[in-house]
Amino acid sequence: MAMSEWEWAPGTSQEHVDRITRFHMDSLAVPVEQRIRPSDPGRHDFPIGLDENGRKFPVPPTWADRVLGCVLAGAVGDALGASIEFLPIDMIRRQHGEQGVTGFGPAGPDGTITDDTQMTLFTLEGLIRAHVRDRISNAGDPVPVVQHAYQRWLHTQGFDWSQAGGPFAEGRAQPDGWLMTERGLFARRAPGNTCVTALRVFAAGNPAGSMANPVNDSKGCGGVMRAAPVALWSTDAEVVFALGAATAALTHGHPSGYLSAASLAYLVHGLLTGTSLPDCIAALTPVLTRWQGHEEQLARLTTAVRLADEGLVSGERLADELGGGWVGEEALAIAVYAMLVTDSLPEALRISVNHSGDSDSTGSVCGNLAGARYGVAAIPADWLEQLELRPTITSLTRDALAEFGPTPPVDDAWLQRYPGW
Ligand SMILES: [Mg+2]
């Protein structure tokens, strides 16, 4: 069924859908062959095209390349940092040399992802399902649908669905949807205690965490590390910011826990449209400032920008100025610093993981930003080859491109794959 024949349910904003459709059609306009040229190892990581005179020129990635890059590079960054998450910088140097971890290999990380990537995938899946619901029945608040997705993640962490699903498990022995059939997700990878506890509290029958009714006072980085996919939800960057905050507040009640997530979603949203990171940060500042409790995040971001002006600093200095990334505002600041001080995706990821702190989360957040800026072609092929669950991550992201693209599927198989509730 073509989209024009689709009957929009009452309550669905046709105007909203039209805007998203136009936006995505524009960004998908660059021919595929121009998007798969090898990267120029020089000044930038954009694929190289040829003009009519045979001259090379950099082809900025399309929206689709950037979305794929955002999710995949986030997973790569997570995996690069995973084995050094709890190591101080001098120990990292002793084990991996002066440069620290520079890739996957027998002596270093092997491509295994952690809870950061798992939860990012469930954010993305939840948003796809919320969007399916909005198209076929009634537009509504996407936050409960994302909560439902996080309860499914909790189930993958070893809790029976009857204990993990809360209200969503009523009358259902098992959770539904395609992502739950990917058995590789059923693995515990040092899941954040804050997330697990908050989701269990909800499953036990308590109200959902929100900014108005904080579930705790945590500002751990478990909110920001999973927030990047929220950028896809709307063409309106402020809607994205607010949804980033609300979905993080399901598990993190301190403003720095959810405003870091909102800020990341906002920055990714800007990068996906081709805006430079400094311009994205400039646009974010007045938005962030309007929210209560923004001071810590704003201060860390400001420090990250100032530090990047100085250039590359030691891992020790990074920790002194920006912290270890265990909390939301620090994780975002370290990722932003790593982006601003480099001009390629691999370099940004190396800077983002080699410090004394939460290396997998800072790598994950930096990867989200770097992938959105440079596109999927900028990720070294051997890194992608070794990335755990790459087929699952790629399939889910391609499904998101379809769902948020100009002609989202409407067949029964799609509705089984992404039940809209
Ligand atoms: Mg982790």
Side-chain angles (χ1 to χ4, degrees), residues 3 6 8 12-13 16-17 20-21 24 124-142 145-146 232-234 399-409 414-415 418-421:
M3 204 166 83
W6 185 248
W8 295 94
T12 304
S13 162
H16 172 74
V17 174
I20 286 190
T21 302
H24 293 333
L124 185 53
E125 190 227 19
L127 293 172
I128 295 173
R129 291 174 58 144
H131 198 255
V132 166
R133 179 201 59 180
D134 287 6
R135 285 197 292 127
I136 63 170
S137 56
N138 280 307
D141 184 2
V145 189
V146 175
L232 295 179
W233 182 254
S234 170
D399 285 352
L401 290 171
E403 178 59 36
F404 291 97
T407 51
W414 188 258
L415 303 183
Y418 297 106
W421 70 294

Side-chain angles (χ1 to χ4, degrees), residues 78 85 114-116 189-190 225 358 360-361:
D78 178 24
E85 177 179 1
T114 81
D115 57 330
D116 302 48
R189 300 287 166 73
M225 76 185 193
D358 196 347
D360 59 330
S361 296

Side-chain angles (χ1 to χ4, degrees), residues 210-237:
S210 68
M211 289 170 275
N213 292 300
V215 68
N216 53 36
D217 193 34
S218 173
K219 59 172 183 169
C221 67
V224 64
M225 76 185 193
R226 65 177 196 250
V230 177
L232 295 179
W233 182 254
S234 170
T235 54
D236 185 332

Side-chain angles (χ1 to χ4, degrees), residues 140-166:
D141 184 2
V143 175
V145 189
V146 175
Q147 170 110 58
H148 187 184
Y150 292 153
Q151 303 308 133
R152 286 192 292 280
W153 171 77
L154 182 64
H155 173 54
T156 68
Q157 300 303 292
F159 299 92
D160 282 346
W161 183 235
S162 59
Q163 284 162 19

Side-chain angles (χ1 to χ4, degrees), residues 180-331:
M180 279 289 98
T181 66
E182 297 293 286
R183 303 312 293 180
L185 282 168
F186 285 73
R188 283 176 75 93
R189 300 287 166 73
N193 197 33
T194 305
C195 287
V196 169
T197 304
L199 297 175
R200 290 188 72 185
V201 165
F202 174 79
N206 295 289
S210 68
M211 289 170 275
N213 292 300
V215 68
N216 53 36
D217 193 34
S218 173
K219 59 172 183 169
C221 67
V224 64
M225 76 185 193
R226 65 177 196 250
V230 177
L232 295 179
W233 182 254
S234 170
T235 54
D236 185 332
E238 294 207 30
V239 170
V240 164
F241 186 99
L243 183 59
T247 49
L250 292 171
T251 56
H252 289 71
H254 189 288
S256 295
Y258 56 77
L259 293 181
S260 51
S263 298
L264 174 65
Y266 187 97
L267 294 175
V268 168
H269 182 272
L271 291 171
L272 291 178
T273 65
T275 309
S276 76
L277 184 57
D279 285 353
C280 291
I281 295 169
L284 166 66
T285 304
V287 176
L288 175 60
T289 307
R290 282 203 294 277
W291 287 66
Q292 249 176 31
H294 65 271
E295 291 80 4
E296 286 181 348
Q297 181 62 83
L298 187 62
R300 288 292 186 186
L301 265 182
T302 307
T303 306
V305 172
R306 177 177 56 70
L307 202 59
D309 283 342
E310 286 183 35
L312 271 178
V313 298
S314 68
E316 286 83 351
R317 180 86 194 285
L318 188 69
D320 281 350
E321 296 271 5
L322 298 178
W326 301 106
V327 291
E329 77 272 24
E330 294 176 2

